[in-house]
Amino acid sequence: MDMEETKELVSLDPDMLQLQEVSPFALKSSPYVAEDLFSQWLSLPDTCLLVKSLLADVKEGAPLGAHENSTITNALASNSVPSLFPAGSTPPLSPRSSSGSPRTMKHRSSPSSLSSPLKLTRDPVREIIPQFYFKNGRPPPSEIKEHFLFQIDSRFYGHLDGLQLNDFKSVTKEVCKLPSFFSTALFRKIDVNFTGTITREQFINYWIRGNMLAMDLATQIYTILKQPHQTYLAQDDFKPVLRELLSTHPGLEFLQSTPEFQERYAETVVHRIFYYMNRAGNGRLTLRELKRGNLIDAMLHVDEEEDINKVLRYFSYEHFYVIYCKFWELDTDHDFFIDKENLIKYGNHSLTYRIVDRIFSQVPRKFISKVEGKMSYEDFVHFILAEEDKSSEPSLEYWFKCIDLDGNGLLTPNEMQFFYEEQLHRMECMAQEPVLFEDILCQMVDMIGPENEGYITLRDVKGSKLSGNVFNILFNLNKFISFETRDPFLIRQEREGPNLTEWDRFAHREYIRLSMEEDGEDMSNASGDVWEESLEAPF
């Protein structure tokens, strides 16, 4: 058989094979087509030569593929299966030529059919993506860093052994831009070995290499106050800065002779901070809560203001005085705990028994007190802030939980009627004109404007400016009557101080009343002393 006949036989024309053209998917679903193709391939003369050659190589122990350049291999290349399919039956690998399949052309042009076409592709150029996330904040620009180093050098100049605490206070306020009463806390964070001095290298290592320079003020304060390996601030973490505030602020100098009241003042400030800012109520103030609140602004304000009573947020001594005196008035046995009978006297018996029962059932807030049936000072701070300022979100959440008897997050008419029944009875006992619940319910719905008139949600309560009055209607008779009569004194107060909260106005009124009572007692005691002296004087 000559070469021309061989070429004609190996062309594998589908018409000569008497097989219909099929796609590769059809071959998988119809195995008999592949068997017919394989039978046709075995009937070719070159296939017989190839099989005989491979068997001979196996018998002689020669490696397979030794006849790479033989005509048999060329015949295999020309008889490859892809040539049986039309050009459009498989996805394109590269631009096709009109002479045939690119796979067949590849085999014909290359001496080896084992070379991979992937080697012809160049390796992609590696693109370097700049760092975009920094755990402790983006490093400051070099200009800011150099300016900060210049300030440090000027502060530590002439202090080769380092700075002591008194000299370090100016660094805290003027270089680090922190409140001055943070100097002791910052000093102890850097002076871990308690040497009493901080060197320039120690300060640079903590503030610059520790990336404190790149943090915002809230994160810096959070990092300085919190304990190592903690992810929150506890109440005790604020005690060092409050202790320094008490010893350095001119508006608190008069307390230095009464350390017990210094301690009570610091406790009250911390309780107020956690009441407003620790919305989770778990005693763990997170960085996110610290940033969302107004504590940082209050700290900066108290550091600049000599009259501490002008700092209404958290630090006012007058506010502490009112809270402490209110608690002391109710704590008749002075064991620093109050029970139900004590609390029912609050505000001239303004609260109902039912709401007091709900408070002592610890539904709105778990008591810190470990004594059964007793409320501690911290529990009372949360209560009085909620009672006297029902415009704040913590207060609305506090009283919503009290009224929500089944705890399903909905205030139904039945639940509200349960608390209003006692109010109605008290109005009848006081010869007040009673208002039926059906009428008062319509008024409360109009005041809140809930999405569904059948119940009131916490979202509805927070969305209305009159929600505090609704709670007063349900369990505080004195405030309910004041609201109904539209006390002109309260209306004038609101107009004179639109930026003041309900708590600010209440604390101001009570402080004036308490101070007048104390002045009256002092005058009475003084007149008594004078009278006794006149009796004892010789004639």
Side-chain angles (χ1 to χ4, degrees), residues 4-22 33-48 74-86 104 108:
E4 294 179 357
E5 294 176 350
T6 304
K7 290 181 179 180
E8 292 177 358
L9 290 173
V10 300
S11 62
L12 292 179
D13 188 357
D15 294 334
M16 294 178 60
L17 296 174
Q18 298 180 357
L19 293 173
Q20 297 180 354
E21 295 181 0
V22 293
V33 176
E35 294 177 1
D36 291 342
L37 289 174
F38 184 65
S39 300
Q40 292 292 337
W41 179 73
L42 287 177
S43 65
L44 296 175
D46 288 340
T47 304
C48 296
N74 293 333
L76 285 173
S78 63
N79 293 333
S80 58
V81 175
S83 64
L84 297 174
F85 297 95
T104 306
R108 291 177 181 175

Side-chain angles (χ1 to χ4, degrees), residues 157-172:
Y157 180 77
H159 299 274
L160 299 179
D161 297 333
L163 295 177
Q164 295 182 352
L165 179 59
N166 291 333
D167 300 324
F168 187 75
K169 290 183 178 181
S170 62
V171 177
T172 303

Side-chain angles (χ1 to χ4, degrees), residues 5 16 101 165 219 244 250 252 356 413 424 443 458 464 480 531:
E5 294 176 350
M16 294 178 60
S101 171
L165 179 59
T219 308
E244 185 172 1
L252 297 171
V356 171
L424 189 61
Q443 183 180 357
L458 181 59
S464 173
F480 175 34
W531 178 253

Side-chain angles (χ1 to χ4, degrees), residues 402-539:
C402 286
I403 306 300
D404 186 13
L405 295 174
D406 54 6
N408 64 347
L410 304 175
L411 301 186
T412 62
N414 290 335
E415 291 172 329
M416 291 185 283
Q417 185 177 10
F418 172 78
F419 289 94
Y420 186 74
E421 285 176 351
E422 187 175 351
Q423 289 280 74
L424 189 61
H425 177 69
R426 298 176 72 189
M427 284 188 285
E428 293 174 350
C429 294
M430 295 176 62
Q432 293 284 339
E433 182 179 357
V435 183
L436 298 178
F437 177 74
E438 290 75 12
D439 299 330
I440 208 67
L441 178 62
C442 295
Q443 183 180 357
M444 291 188 296
V445 170
D446 291 340
M447 293 167 66
I448 293 182
E451 295 181 3
N452 190 313
E453 294 186 358
Y455 53 82
I456 297 174
T457 65
L458 181 59
R459 180 179 178 181
D460 298 329
V461 169
K462 291 182 178 181
S464 173
K465 296 181 178 180
L466 299 175
S467 298
N469 294 321
V470 171
F471 289 126
N472 290 331
I473 291 173
L474 295 177
F475 54 77
N476 191 314
L477 183 59
N478 295 344
K479 291 185 178 181
F480 175 34
I481 296 176
S482 298
F483 174 72
E484 287 294 319
T485 57
R486 301 295 192 275
D487 189 345
F489 176 74
L490 297 178
I491 295 175
R492 187 176 72 252
Q493 270 194 331
E494 293 177 1
R495 291 176 179 176
E496 292 176 353
N499 297 326
L500 299 178
T501 64
E502 293 180 12
W503 165 256
D504 296 333
R505 287 189 284 267
F506 165 79
H508 180 68
R509 293 194 308 268
E510 286 299 309
Y511 182 78
I512 293 176
R513 182 185 67 82
L514 292 169
S515 60
M516 291 178 63
E517 290 180 357
E518 185 174 352
D519 291 341
E521 291 179 359
D522 292 341
M523 292 179 63
S524 175
N525 292 335
S527 63
D529 295 338
V530 173
W531 178 253
E532 290 175 0
E533 289 179 0
S534 63
L535 289 178
E536 296 175 357
F539 292 102

Side-chain angles (χ1 to χ4, degrees), residues 295-314:
L295 177 61
I296 305 300
D297 293 337
M299 287 180 170
L300 296 174
H301 186 194
V302 76
D303 194 37
E304 301 295 334
E305 179 59 60
E306 292 187 0
D307 187 357
I308 199 165
N309 291 319
K310 292 183 179 180
V311 187
L312 301 179
R313 303 282 76 79
Y314 311 113

Side-chain angles (χ1 to χ4, degrees), residues 135-233:
K135 182 178 180 181
N136 296 320
R138 184 178 295 275
S142 57
E143 296 81 5
I144 297 179
K145 186 176 180 180
E146 291 175 0
H147 178 68
F148 191 80
L149 288 172
F150 175 77
Q151 289 182 305
I152 294 175
D153 292 338
S154 63
R155 297 292 174 178
F156 281 86
Y157 180 77
H159 299 274
L160 299 179
D161 297 333
L163 295 177
Q164 295 182 352
L165 179 59
N166 291 333
D167 300 324
F168 187 75
K169 290 183 178 181
S170 62
V171 177
T172 303
K173 183 175 178 61
E174 300 174 11
V175 179
C176 299
K177 308 300 182 183
L178 292 169
S180 60
F181 52 90
F182 272 76
S183 58
T184 301
L186 179 58
F187 191 91
R188 291 177 179 175
K189 277 285 185 177
I190 302 175
D191 184 23
V192 293
N193 296 323
F194 304 102
T195 60
T197 57
I198 291 179
T199 63
R200 175 184 178 276
E201 185 63 23
Q202 285 178 316
F203 182 77
I204 291 176
N205 185 58
Y206 179 82
W207 198 262
I208 297 182
R209 297 192 181 100
N211 212 29
M212 292 285 287
L213 186 59
M215 299 178 184
D216 57 88
L217 183 58
T219 308
Q220 290 173 349
I221 290 177
Y222 174 80
T223 305
I224 294 171
L225 292 181
K226 77 179 186 69
Q227 298 299 319
H229 312 297
Q230 293 287 4
T231 58
Y232 58 86
L233 292 176

Side-chain angles (χ1 to χ4, degrees), residues 351-379:
L351 300 177
T352 63
Y353 282 94
R354 291 183 178 180
I355 199 65
V356 171
D357 287 338
R358 291 291 285 174
I359 294 171
F360 274 84
S361 63
Q362 305 182 34
V363 172
R365 181 180 181 272
K366 294 292 183 182
F367 285 174
I368 301 300
S369 169
K370 303 301 180 182
V371 181
E372 184 68 24
K374 297 281 188 176
M375 174 187 285
S376 67
Y377 179 69
E378 179 179 348
D379 303 321

